[in-house]
Each structure stands twice: as structure tokens, then as C-alpha cells.
Amino acid sequence: MITPETIQQITSRLDIVEIVGEFVKLKKRGSNYLGVCPFHNEKSPSFTVNDAKGFYHCFGCAAHGDIISFVMQSEGLEFADAIKKLADDHGIPIPQITKFDKVQEEKIDRDYLLLEKITAFFEKNFQESQGREARNYLTRRGLNAEIIKKYRLGFAPNSFDALNKFLAAAGFSEKELLTSGVIARSDQQKIYDKFRNRVIFPITDKKNRPIAFGGRVLAAEDMPKYLNSAETAIFKKNQ
Ligand code: ZN
């Protein structure tokens, strides 16, 4: 199973000059490397390797590509086999996907979907009449509509069950709600929303997917002033 992470590791960890250099004698020329093309017959070198950009290009036969396509072309391998060879030769582990991983992966997808729904819920509340105070607050703090939209800022209504009822109606189980990081169970076994009457700041991962929330009070007497989501499968505070 080839994952995008494996491909990324290969292209970022391996040095194209080194890999190509096993086949082609390369000389440094400016910011590129130059050699005799292995893909067509030539006497004067027109084959270049750009180390920084991680690709090669031949001005004679137009052969062009990255580290993976070089191995495919030079060894006559399919894409997956070229990856496997590069990974094996250079000690990059290729994860074996098991049935358990598949289940985990589906669960994680569902976690992201849940967080997306919650983000949309807070955004919608922000735009409604109950979000007026939150809108005024952010305006006072100098945030315009563009910024608010870009960072998907929102509002958690002053309710113990608006969010959990919304999510239940959207088909999420009670067990799933409790993995969201923003819904908890009271000592009386009642499910409740942890973020109430707060301006909401989504926390996103590198792919810009919401994974958690920070919430700031609107009423000065509410505590704590700032509240974050609890840790979840997709939100680890130390990461
Ligand atoms: Zn060539």
C-alpha cells in the first residue's frame, strides 16, 4: 500500500543527485548538475538535474521527471515498484495496511466530519441574531468579515444542548459526540455542550481541517476566560 506520506518521504528524504548519480556521471554547473543523458544517445551532455527542485530534464530528448520517474525510466519499473525499490534501498518503511488500520482510518474520517459539522454549526450561529454580541465583540477587536470567514470564527450559543441535539439530528451517536472534545457527560449522566456563550476559534491541522476549538467568554463573569477542546484522537495538544 503506497500512501502519500511514503511518496512524500521518498521525494523529500532522498537526494535526486545521489540517485541519478548512480547511473549518470554528473558535474555541477551553476545551480544544476549536468551529465550525458541515459535515455538517449548523445556525446555532449544535455541532461540536467535540479537538486533544489528535485527533478531532471534532458534538453536533447525531453526526458523529464522526479526521483520516482527516474527510477521507473532507468530500471523499467512500474510506479509502485519504483517506490518499493527506493524505499527498500534506502530504509524507508512502507506501512502495511491491515484491516484494523482500515477501521481506524474510517473512524478518523468520521472524526473529521464531526468536527467539520461542529465548525459549520458555530459559524451559522455566529451569523444569526443570537450571534450579535459575538459579532460586535470581534468587530471591536478589529476583525473584519473577510478574516472571520477565512478563519471560520463562530459562536457557541448559551445552551447546554443546542450543539449535541444538532449533531444527534445529523446522525451522530452519543458515543461519537463524546469523542468530539466539546461535549461531555455530567455526573448525572447527562450529555452537555462544554462551549456556551463563547466566541469560537477553530484550530486546524496543516490541511486546514478543524480538529479542535478555542472559545473565549463574552460575559465577563463566565469562567474560564479561554476554554479549549479536550484532547481527542485527532487533537493532541503537544503536537
Ligand atoms: Zn535525453
Side-chain angles (χ1 to χ4, degrees):
M1 179 74 190
I2 311 285
T3 63
E5 285 70 28
T6 304
I7 295 172
Q8 202 267 332
Q9 284 215 357
I10 282 173
T11 51
S12 67
R13 273 172 56 175
L14 300 184
D15 183 11
I16 189 162
V17 170
E18 199 176 297
I19 304 287
V20 173
E22 290 167 14
F23 285 82
V24 182
K25 198 163 181 277
L26 292 171
K27 271 192 187 143
K28 195 154 192 335
R29 170 80 64 86
S31 57
N32 287 339
Y33 288 80
L34 191 65
V36 173
C37 181
F39 304 123
H40 83 282
N41 210 339
E42 65 176 3
K43 290 217 170 64
S44 57
S46 51
F47 182 82
T48 62
V49 179
N50 186 316
D51 195 18
K53 290 183 179 149
F55 67 72
Y56 60 92
H57 180 79
C58 175
F59 290 96
C61 69
H64 182 95
D66 63 5
I67 207 164
I68 297 164
S69 43
F70 183 82
V71 171
M72 289 170 70
Q73 261 192 299
S74 59
E75 309 253 10
L77 295 175
E78 297 289 330
F79 182 71
D81 292 329
I83 302 244
K84 195 167 177 312
K85 178 173 172 29
L86 282 166
D88 286 350
D89 287 358
H90 300 91
I92 294 171
I94 295 184
Q96 302 295 317
I97 302 275
T98 62
K99 211 171 169 189
F100 175 75
D101 292 333
K102 275 244 157 65
V103 172
Q104 282 296 101
E105 216 171 282
E106 278 161 20
K107 200 202 150 299
I108 296 282
D109 284 348
R110 185 94 176 143
D111 287 343
Y112 283 116
L113 178 66
L114 176 61
L115 271 280
E116 172 56 36
K117 290 271 182 218
I118 296 170
T119 307
F121 171 84
F122 288 144
E123 280 185 294
K124 182 172 164 290
N125 281 285
F126 184 85
Q127 297 302 342
E128 289 174 352
S129 59
Q130 56 185 342
R132 180 175 301 126
E133 207 186 327
R135 293 197 299 275
N136 291 343
Y137 170 75
L138 290 184
T139 306
R140 272 205 311 280
R141 298 297 298 261
L143 301 186
N144 62 29
E146 196 184 326
I147 295 284
I148 288 164
K149 191 166 175 230
K150 181 176 177 195
Y151 292 99
R152 304 188 68 186
L153 307 186
F155 171 65
N158 199 8
S159 159
F160 279 91
D161 61 10
L163 176 61
N164 69 62
K165 281 194 169 147
F166 167 82
L167 292 171
F172 290 95
S173 70
E174 191 172 292
K175 197 174 152 203
E176 285 178 311
L177 300 192
L178 290 168
T179 65
S180 67
V182 298
I183 290 168
R185 199 201 297 273
S186 72
D187 295 342
Q188 292 78 36
Q189 301 301 305
K190 242 182 110 52
I191 300 277
Y192 69 95
D193 301 353
K194 289 168 71 175
F195 289 73
R196 298 178 303 277
N197 199 25
R198 285 172 184 269
V199 183
I200 297 292
F201 301 86
I203 299 164
T204 63
D205 64 8
K206 278 189 184 145
K207 290 180 179 164
N208 218 18
R209 295 177 294 194
I211 52 173
F213 304 94
R216 188 202 187 278
V217 290
L218 284 171
E221 67 274 18
D222 284 349
M223 294 288 281
K225 190 170 178 184
Y226 295 98
L227 180 67
N228 282 328
S229 289
E231 291 209 353
T232 64
I234 56 173
F235 177 55
K236 301 273 179 258
K237 291 183 184 179
N238 65 359
Q239 291 172 23

